[in-house]
Structure formats: structure tokens, C-alpha cells
Amino acid sequence: MKKEKIMKKMAWITGILTGLMVLLAALGAVGVAVKNIAGDETFYAAQSRQAVMQEGGFASEEEVTAYIGLDQAQQQAVAGELAAYVTGEADALPELLNEDEQQHMRDVRTVVASMANMSRMYLTLAAALAVVTAWTGAKLKKRNLPRLIGALAAVGLIMLIVMNLVNEITAGGFAQMFTAVHEVLFDNDLWLMNPDTDILIRMMPQTLFEQALLGGANQALRVFLLVWVMLIALHEIVQRMIRRHLSERKAA
């Protein structure tokens, strides 16, 4: 009876750890998606111009060029510099940015670097939990329910968050969410730009960030699925090794 209670408790501990592993993998995937978008030159170039055309109701590239103040070639060059700077691959910002814009991009670079570091930490912890759950579950043969409940609860929470993001966009609540996120991430108001003086806001209208959020969520989901497959593989390999060791020790 005592052994049965221990096994039951171990099963639920394994389930909780499995759920935590899912959440950590999801957070790590979000960090990867953010860095990928921040380092994507097309975000500051082709995607930017398309969003400007859509939001401004422009009918030609010439109108987009007149509004932004850069033609396609010029914006592509600026995009390369921005992408390289934000991801830490270069230290020079485009000279056409004014002082406030340059300081804001320094802040953005800090945020992206922090998210990238946290992403690595989350994924490392998820891998560690894969090993821990392999150990705690090594003696569990028929108690899969707690683990399934933990994983499904975590996946359900992730899906709820994604659905909420989509609903915010489709219901027109993106602006409020966008403002709230910026107030949390930045300790100044340099992100509040003026289209008359700041080229960044002309390059990056709200539509661009709405599309980036949806694209980022899709990318994060793909990364999460890939990471989850790798975690499952790691879990199974370690658990088989532990069970083989336990079996050999018992036979001896």
C-alpha cells in the first residue's frame, strides 16, 4: 500500500513536471520567433512597404516611397542595418535615424537580447526537465494519465493565449495591447513617435506589427513542435537507459 501511494505521488509529480516542461518549451519558442522576426530584413523592407501600402491605402510603390521618404533600394539598405543591429551582429545604426529613434533602437536591441537569453534558458530548463521526468517516470508503467493531464493543461493554456491574441487583433483591440506591451518593455516614451519627424514610424505602421504578431505566433508554434519532438526523443532515450540500468541491477 505504501509503495502504491509513493508511485501515485510520483506519477502526479511527473505530470506536473511534464506540464512545466511544455510551458518552458513554448516560452523558449516565443523567444526564438521574436529574435527571428527582429533579424529578418524583409520585416523592415518588403513587409514594411506592403503594410504601409495597405494601411495608407496607397496604390503604387511611388506613393509608398513618397510617404516613407525611401525608395525600395534605400529601404533595403536601411533594413539590413537595422536587422544586423537589433540582433547584435553590428553596432552601427542607420545615420538617417534621429537621436530619439537611435536610442529607441538601442532599447529594442536590449529587449531582443534579453528575450534571446531567456529563450536559451527556458529551452535548457525544458531539456533538463525532460531528463528529470525520464527519471521520475522510469518506474511508472501504467500511470500515463497524470502526465497526459499535465501536458494537455499546458498545451490548452498555450492555445488559449494564442486564441486571445488573434481575437484581440480581429476585434480591433491590438492598439491597446500594443501600448500595454510597450509600457511594460520600455522605461521611457521614445516609442511614441511622430510621422512628421520620425522615419521609423513611417516604415512601421500598426498593420506591420499586427501581421508580425500573427506570423510570429505561427513561427513560434512551428518551433515549439520541433522542440517538443526533440524533448520527447531525449526523454525516451534517457528513460530507456534508466530502465535498462534498473533491470540489470535487479537481475544482478
Side-chain angles (χ1 to χ4, degrees):
M1 183 63 71
K2 186 176 180 180
K3 183 177 180 181
E4 180 67 21
K5 287 184 178 180
I6 293 175
M7 289 296 100
K8 188 174 182 179
K9 184 179 294 186
M10 190 68 73
W12 283 105
I13 290 174
T14 303
I16 293 171
L17 293 177
T18 300
L20 182 58
M21 180 172 63
V22 175
L23 288 175
L24 288 172
L27 290 172
V30 169
V32 172
V34 169
K35 184 175 181 180
N36 287 345
I37 291 174
D40 184 3
E41 290 186 24
T42 66
F43 175 72
Y44 309 96
Q47 294 181 48
S48 163
R49 296 182 74 84
Q50 183 181 15
V52 169
M53 180 176 289
Q54 179 180 336
E55 186 164 317
F58 300 128
S60 66
E61 278 291 334
E62 288 73 19
E63 290 178 287
V64 174
T65 294
Y67 174 77
I68 296 177
L70 298 172
D71 61 26
Q72 285 181 305
Q74 291 171 326
Q75 188 168 347
Q76 184 62 52
V78 170
E81 292 180 272
L82 286 174
Y85 180 81
V86 169
T87 54
E89 296 177 5
D91 293 322
L93 279 163
E95 295 182 357
L96 55 81
L97 300 184
N98 61 42
E99 185 175 342
D100 286 348
E101 289 176 301
Q102 290 196 21
Q103 182 56 55
H104 178 60
M105 293 311 298
R106 294 188 191 100
D107 294 339
V108 171
R109 173 172 169 160
T110 299
V111 170
V112 172
S114 297
M115 292 195 71
N117 290 334
M118 292 177 67
S119 177
R120 286 191 289 270
M121 180 183 69
Y122 290 144
L123 293 176
T124 300
L125 288 174
L129 282 178
V131 175
V132 172
T133 55
W135 179 78
T136 59
K139 295 182 179 181
L140 304 176
K141 297 181 179 179
K142 297 182 179 180
R143 297 188 178 277
N144 292 320
L145 182 59
R147 282 178 283 180
L148 290 175
I149 291 176
L152 288 175
V155 171
L157 178 60
I158 293 167
M159 293 302 297
L160 185 63
I161 293 173
V162 173
M163 289 175 62
N164 185 62
L165 291 176
V166 174
N167 288 335
E168 285 290 329
I169 293 176
T170 56
F174 179 81
Q176 290 80 4
M177 182 176 65
F178 183 80
T179 298
V181 169
H182 276 68
E183 289 176 343
V184 170
L185 293 179
F186 303 107
D187 59 2
N188 55 53
D189 61 357
L190 294 178
W191 56 274
L192 294 171
M193 298 183 181
N194 184 349
D196 294 330
T197 58
D198 304 318
I199 195 170
L200 278 180
I201 193 62
R202 297 199 299 272
M203 287 175 58
M204 301 178 188
Q206 179 176 310
T207 299
L208 178 64
F209 290 99
E210 291 179 359
Q211 294 170 351
L213 179 59
L214 292 175
N218 184 47
Q219 185 175 154
L221 180 59
R222 294 199 304 270
V223 173
F224 168 73
L225 292 175
L226 176 61
V227 169
W228 187 241
V229 169
M230 295 173 66
L231 289 175
I232 290 176
L234 174 62
H235 176 277
E236 290 302 309
I237 291 172
V238 173
Q239 190 166 89
R240 288 185 181 185
M241 292 173 61
I242 294 173
R243 284 180 173 170
R244 185 182 303 115
H245 173 73
L246 293 174
S247 178
E248 290 175 351
R249 190 173 67 176
K250 185 176 180 180

